[in-house]
Amino acid sequence: MASDVERPRFSSISKDGTSSGEIGTEQEPLLKNGSNEVEEYSVVSAILPFLFPAFGGLLYGYDIGATSSATISIQSATFSGISWYNLSSLQVGLITSGSLYGALIGSILAFNVADFLGRRKELIVSAVTYLVGGLLTALAPSFTLMVIGRFIYGIGIGLAMHAAPMYIAETAPSQIRGRLISLKEFFIVLGMLVGYIAGSLLVDIVTGWRYMYGVSVPLSLMMGVGMWWLPASPRWILLRVVQGKGDAQVLRKVAIDCLCQLRGAAIGESAPQKVDEILSELSYMREEQEATLAEVFQGKCLKALIIGGGLVLFQQITGQPSVLYYAATIFQSAGFPEASDATKVSVLLGLLKLIMTGVAVLVVDRLGRRPLLLGGVSGITVSLVLLGSYYSFLGNVPALAVVALLVYVGCYQLSFGPIGWLMISEIFPLRQRGRGLSIAVLINFGANALVALAFSPLQELLGAGAVFFIFGGIAILAIISIFFYIPETKGLTLEEIEAKLL
């Protein structure tokens, strides 16, 4: 690694052969002229750079879905196949939330290793921890080893949910970036649905819980092999160029090769020019020094943290886990006897979530981020008020609760679900993106754990109706914050977002 004194210099060459200046010298930003060229890419070549990182989301969602049935199977004297099936509520809670606590640790680890490893290697490490955690959980001979396996699996979740959106955002063409990152949310929901279905099929089989968790093993292998084959993020490589972490000309050539592999034949001879444009912008925006912890809470990164961290905080504290907690009860009260089987309710809601996420994927790059957020969170607010009313004074109208539940789930998947992850992946400046996004992911999982921990005590203290009204009030605050503070990033490159919106 070159020291500051020995930092290599780089001079980009324009089409006419003239030098555009060295890294570190003041130059006019390419974005200043307002140009917004369409990036050339091949659809086929764009699939795999999205697909394998998205497996990290699929494995996260699958864990949520499978665990809901695995905790039933493992406590069954008939089907658990183990002698330690008589678990306490605390032990069941550790199995259920073990991966969440691991994800919190994974998010903290990502803060320190993200920019050192790079997005691709972080995803490979995530796949390995998924694999080890899944194997240990599925083959666990004791409760202790099972919890350790759940914790290790959770570390994989934290790393994957940090690196996957970054890798997709930095490698995707700007005109389909929103669609691809939203598709990652689609994969999370798809994983949940597969987990629910696998659970319903295996819950009445001896040691079925082992098979449920074992399904993650081949999926994590596919993710790891795929990420090993994919190239590194060109933007991460170019960040290392301007920070003097290697030979500039060698790294520039590597970045060009990676970009060609990511875009396919469609990029033609324009890859060197695209790389030089990114380098010029990184130099102009003074990305030379490595980000420090203090800088994450200053300037552009602080603004990005308020935007992205605020979104993922509202994503959790508007009560999504709590609403789903009541799903089976709401359907039963409305006269659906099958709803007594919580797994069937989960499959039904999983299908709705999948459909609505698919709708968001299709329209996010046409309508933009703000319209989906404002419309979806408005629907969430109405549904929470209706749920609060049902549990407070309209208990004789169960159809109202069913409609409110379905509206909530649908609107969440149009707004907070995909757009929250999309915004945190594209809003942070490149130099602080790894650390900034790790804090945002930590906020997400931390708020999730807090809501899960506080919901039952609040319900007992205030009643379900009051809790839903509180969530509705928080949702109103979210709408106000979105209206005044959340920018529109549709169609902009990551460099344009940093230059124009922060």
Side-chain angles (χ1 to χ4, degrees), residues 99-176:
S99 60
L100 175 58
Y101 297 133
L104 286 168
I105 298 301
S107 303
I108 295 171
L109 290 174
F111 184 89
N112 294 308
V113 304
D115 289 329
F116 169 73
L117 287 178
R119 292 56 163 136
R120 171 179 166 270
K121 288 182 180 178
E122 186 180 351
L123 283 165
I124 293 172
V125 173
S126 170
V128 171
T129 52
Y130 271 139
L131 176 65
V132 174
L135 278 173
L136 189 55
T137 303
L139 301 176
S142 66
F143 169 77
T144 302
L145 286 176
M146 183 180 186
V147 172
I148 292 173
R150 299 286 296 137
F151 186 82
I152 293 173
Y153 192 96
I155 292 175
I157 293 174
L159 293 174
M161 299 310 291
H162 172 262
M166 271 202 301
Y167 185 89
I168 296 170
E170 292 182 2
T171 59
S174 58
Q175 58 266 42
I176 60 169

Side-chain angles (χ1 to χ4, degrees), residues 118-304:
R119 292 56 163 136
R120 171 179 166 270
K121 288 182 180 178
E122 186 180 351
L123 283 165
I124 293 172
V125 173
S126 170
V128 171
T129 52
Y130 271 139
L131 176 65
V132 174
L135 278 173
L136 189 55
T137 303
L139 301 176
S142 66
F143 169 77
T144 302
L145 286 176
M146 183 180 186
V147 172
I148 292 173
R150 299 286 296 137
F151 186 82
I152 293 173
Y153 192 96
I155 292 175
I157 293 174
L159 293 174
M161 299 310 291
H162 172 262
M166 271 202 301
Y167 185 89
I168 296 170
E170 292 182 2
T171 59
S174 58
Q175 58 266 42
I176 60 169
R177 185 180 65 243
R179 187 172 301 171
L180 290 179
I181 299 175
S182 299
L183 262 176
K184 184 190 71 69
E185 171 70 14
F186 182 88
F187 267 61
I188 295 175
V189 177
L190 177 62
M192 291 172 63
L193 182 59
V194 172
Y196 291 140
I197 294 173
S200 65
L201 295 175
L202 297 171
V203 71
D204 293 329
I205 295 176
V206 177
T207 65
W209 62 274
R210 295 189 186 276
Y211 298 113
M212 294 178 206
Y213 285 124
V215 169
S216 66
V217 173
L219 293 176
S220 59
L221 276 172
M222 292 173 64
M223 175 186 172
V225 172
M227 289 310 307
W228 186 269
W229 176 80
L230 285 174
S233 161
R235 283 182 168 90
W236 176 74
I237 294 172
L238 296 177
L239 179 62
R240 296 181 70 80
V241 171
V242 298
Q243 291 179 346
K245 296 180 178 179
D247 183 276
Q249 295 295 342
V250 172
L251 289 175
R252 175 179 177 272
K253 184 179 184 305
V254 171
I256 292 171
D257 292 341
C258 290
L259 189 62
C260 289
Q261 186 176 345
L262 291 164
R263 293 289 188 271
I267 197 169
E269 300 298 321
S270 63
Q273 179 187 356
K274 178 64 179 174
V275 164
D276 290 347
E277 288 174 359
I278 296 173
L279 272 171
S280 294
E281 289 308 320
L282 292 179
S283 176
Y284 179 81
M285 291 183 285
R286 300 189 180 280
E287 304 281 6
E288 292 91 347
Q289 299 298 319
E290 190 169 351
T292 63
L293 175 61
E295 284 183 307
V296 176
F297 301 98
Q298 297 173 1
K300 290 183 176 183
C301 194
L302 176 60
K303 183 177 180 180

